[in-house]
Amino acid sequence: MFAKILIANRGEIACRVARTARRMGIATVAVYSDADAQSRHVALADEAFRIGPPEAKDSYLRGDRIVEAAMSSGASAIHPGYGFLSENAEFAERCERAGIAFVGPPPQAIRAMGDKSSAKAIMEKAGVPLVPGYHGGNQSPDFLLDQAVRIGFPVLIKAAAGGGGKGMRAVEHKAEFDAALAACRREALSAFGDERVLLEKYLERPRHIEIQVFADRQGGCLALFERDCSMQRRHQKVLEEAPAPGMTEARRREMSKAAVAAAKAVSYVGAGTVEFIVDRAGTFHFMEMNTRLQVEHPVTEMITGLDLVEWQLRIAAGERLPIAQKDLRVSGHAIEARVYAEDPNRDFLPAAGRIAHLALPAESGHVRVETGVRAGDEITVYYDPMIAKLIVRDNDRPAALERMRKALGEFEVAGPVTNLGFLYRLVQDRDFVAADFDTGLIERHRSELLAPSAPAGEEALTLAALTALSQLDAGEARRPGDPFSPWSLADAWRANQDSARLLVFLEGENRHAVGA
Ligand code: ADP
């Protein structure tokens, strides 16, 4: 096993990888940009290297500096986390050339799956079911329009190099196709430097179900069950859960078989996720494979009792998969919610600012919190504004939902606006609770999920005033000095000051003045 690893990431995932490394007795090296010099992931590591200014392209995407830091620290492996360089084949090669193990698949597997079109061609050959569509090389608009007509509207145009929901457009009618294609190409070119697109039948009210796979260098490959990530906003995941509601043993076996075939088709090694889109009838189709650890991996850990980062490190060090498929079991139900600094009432605009107060739900065997921030830290405009991932587990889905509702209620953030209120409503949405959902649920229920809440009433303001006053008094009583002095009395008497106070509370844009 490695004695020391470098973690080429920031935020919650850097902290999460460091925790497992520490438990395994592996020393950790952090890298940081100038915006992150004081951040939690740096504080948790044994050593830390500055790699550049705040912009990701000048720091967390600088593979050369990261490999240099690994060499000078003596780290023998690099864990890339997710995002940044985690699916960058050149970076994996750079690590290899420097004699450092890349904790991820071989570069050729990253390349094969990095392009949605080539991935589909490989999957087709491996007999994995695809969404009806076109993923070939002919990119002429007229030809693509003919293909769209053949597939039948609505169709989805996707950037071949796409990711994160960018460069994707649904087209309802033939007349809108040309304009949508042009827009999609522009977006793909500016986001990925590659304007190639593919076409897919746009499925109505589908579910997104993905299979976690793991492969070792000795040819072993396992499927660690599914995650349902259908609760999305603009094709981005908001809630994830495992197992998928309504999953049957037979369908799970079929999907797992297809996922393992996908991994084997590219000689995969390490942790990967095969994403499927599932139609109303339950038929599943390959969408893409993500060649890294996913944001939502904790729900799989919570239902299997496994540590996927430990598995990644063991496999990167050349060990075999530690367990056989027949010995894997699903235990209970787990749900993850992504807590973001963003404003649901301004179309989820990312928010920034100092976290003035942070209270996390108490962690237990049922509740897990993954975060990269502490009270006093800044959410900056440079990176993804995720504050934390909240993961709960219980014996069944209703009990897990109840845990989630309670934990969200305990989660307190003051400073940047967050999506906590939105999540709190979402986990109580009638259809979601009834497990009757698909990728369009959030959009369909938008008006209820985003309805303005009633402004704070007299009771809430009185409680807020009492809390504020007791905190002010506690602060004053803590002053050193003679406890018998009249200055230490905690009654309302003040020298040179009125005994009445005016407290002003801000609730969104409303100011509430309370006389106390
Ligand atoms: P990205 O790589 O940009 O995240 P994906 O191909 O993984 O894009 O798709 C993201 C999401 O878009 C899916 O989870 C699903 O909600 C939706 N989606 C993708 N393909 C289809 C399709 N053919 N029909 C309907 N929805 C789709």
Side-chain angles (χ1 to χ4, degrees), residues 24 131 154 172 182 213 237 259 267 302 309 341 393 463 468:
M24 294 172 72
V131 192
E172 294 285 334
V213 294
K237 299 163 185 168
S267 309
M302 296 289 268
V309 172
R393 195 207 81 93
L463 286 171

Side-chain angles (χ1 to χ4, degrees), residues 480-503:
D482 175 5
F484 300 106
S485 147
W487 306 104
S488 299
L489 282 178
D491 60 17
W493 185 80
R494 297 286 180 277
N496 305 322
Q497 208 177 324
D498 279 345
S499 59
R501 298 189 190 187
L502 183 69
L503 300 168

Side-chain angles (χ1 to χ4, degrees), residues 241-245 303 330-335 392-397 400:
E241 60 184 295
I303 58 152
V330 173
S331 164
H333 197 97
I335 309 174
V392 298
R393 195 207 81 93
D394 213 313
N395 292 337
D396 55 26
R397 190 170 188 268

Side-chain angles (χ1 to χ4, degrees), residues 5-6 13 27 89 103 190 311-312 344 369 382 432 476 479 489:
I5 61 166
L6 181 143
I13 191 62
V103 182
S190 86
W311 277 34
Q312 284 190 295
V369 184
Y382 300 108
F432 178 62
E476 282 164 14
R479 277 187 206 149
L489 282 178

